[in-house]
Amino acid sequence: MDDTSEPATLREKAYASFTRHLLARDLRPGQFVSQRELVAFTGLPLGAIREIVPRLEAEGLLTTIPQRGMQIAHIDISLIREAFQFRLFMEREAVALFAVNASDAEIAGLRRGHEDMLAQALAQTPTPEMEAKAQNIDWAMHDTFISALGNEIIAKAYLVNSVKIRLIHQERFRIDGRVVPVMREHLAVIEALEKRDPEMAVEAISQHIDNARRLALQI
């Protein structure tokens, strides 16, 4: 094995572990944390933690404050506006291309998953398990559009922003109680995909993202 591969692997493991704990709400937005505490959370060496701190700072997931330590990204109005603007720019182009290039089978799979979820939400009182499944369906569709671009630079940048979007969801609004409208908004996007209409798809995804943005900005 290359002598340089193990440190790189540890860095990636440390980064993945940090974001996993962040999204699991083990680490909370605005929380102060030390490098030693991150070692305890991730179970990885202090050296690996130290190496990912500059990356986390560059990505806006962590800020080092002199004499206070490291602070997890704080969810504020600026972050919400910037994260949703980035998402809108990326997904409008992605869904337009998906409308043209996706296979009929891919689009049919999206419809099946969303219709099944919608039917379940209409037929029963929502449960935490059902809402968690709906949230995964929601995120998976957006990720599918970006993945289909086959562009690693965009995928990496989108992933960082996706972490921020999911933190915003957790802190400002959740899919709880909103499964039916979210699934219907997604089905409007899927209808446009079935028609192979990029402009209609862009309009539908823009409306969906704007609805989420407005909910996140409510205080």
Side-chain angles (χ1 to χ4, degrees):
M1 179 181 292
D2 190 320
D3 291 341
T4 64
S5 62
E6 184 60 21
T9 299
L10 287 175
R11 285 197 301 272
E12 291 306 313
K13 285 182 178 179
Y15 182 86
S17 181
F18 174 88
T19 54
R20 185 168 61 251
H21 283 291
L22 192 57
L23 293 176
R25 309 186 86 185
D26 300 325
L27 299 166
R28 302 298 296 271
Q31 175 184 342
F32 281 90
V33 64
S34 69
Q35 291 184 359
R36 295 287 181 184
E37 287 173 320
L38 290 181
V39 167
F41 271 113
T42 63
L44 292 163
L46 181 59
I49 297 300
R50 284 175 174 162
E51 289 192 24
I52 67 167
V53 168
R55 176 180 175 183
L56 294 172
E57 289 183 311
E59 293 177 351
L61 297 175
L62 196 69
T63 302
T64 298
I65 299 178
Q67 301 181 342
R68 294 200 65 185
M70 299 182 299
Q71 186 179 29
I72 306 299
H74 181 67
I75 306 301
D76 57 18
I77 299 301
S78 178
L79 176 63
I80 293 170
R81 286 175 175 162
E82 291 177 4
F84 274 95
Q85 185 179 51
F86 181 94
R87 182 184 183 189
L88 186 62
F89 282 7
M90 292 294 101
E91 292 194 36
R92 282 167 61 94
E93 181 68 16
V95 78
L97 291 172
F98 196 84
V100 174
N101 298 325
S103 69
D104 291 342
E106 287 177 298
I107 298 171
L110 288 174
R111 176 168 285 284
R112 281 195 302 274
H114 282 79
E115 286 188 338
D116 288 349
M117 188 74 257
L118 177 60
Q120 186 178 348
L122 289 170
Q124 67 178 75
T125 301
T127 64
E129 293 76 16
M130 186 188 78
E131 289 172 331
K133 181 180 178 182
Q135 184 64 84
N136 288 334
I137 290 171
D138 181 357
W139 286 335
M141 188 183 80
H142 295 281
D143 291 344
T144 294
F145 299 153
I146 298 297
S147 296
L149 294 173
N151 185 312
E152 187 175 352
I153 293 174
I154 291 176
K156 287 181 177 179
Y158 183 85
L159 177 60
V160 173
N161 197 66
S162 180
V163 172
K164 296 174 185 177
I165 289 291
R166 295 179 193 200
L167 288 177
I168 292 167
H169 274 242
Q170 291 176 349
E171 293 298 310
R172 291 301 186 104
F173 72 102
R174 300 173 67 84
I175 201 170
D176 303 7
R178 299 184 56 254
V179 173
V180 170
V182 169
M183 291 301 108
R184 284 175 172 162
E185 288 174 16
H186 274 216
L187 284 165
V189 177
I190 293 167
E191 180 183 357
L193 298 177
E194 291 169 334
K195 293 180 177 179
R196 303 294 181 174
D197 188 331
E199 291 185 5
M200 182 180 175
V202 167
E203 178 61 30
I205 201 75
S206 298
Q207 185 63 54
H208 173 57
I209 292 173
D210 188 57
N211 286 344
R213 181 188 62 82
R214 286 188 290 102
L215 284 170
L217 288 171
Q218 291 177 356
I219 305 299

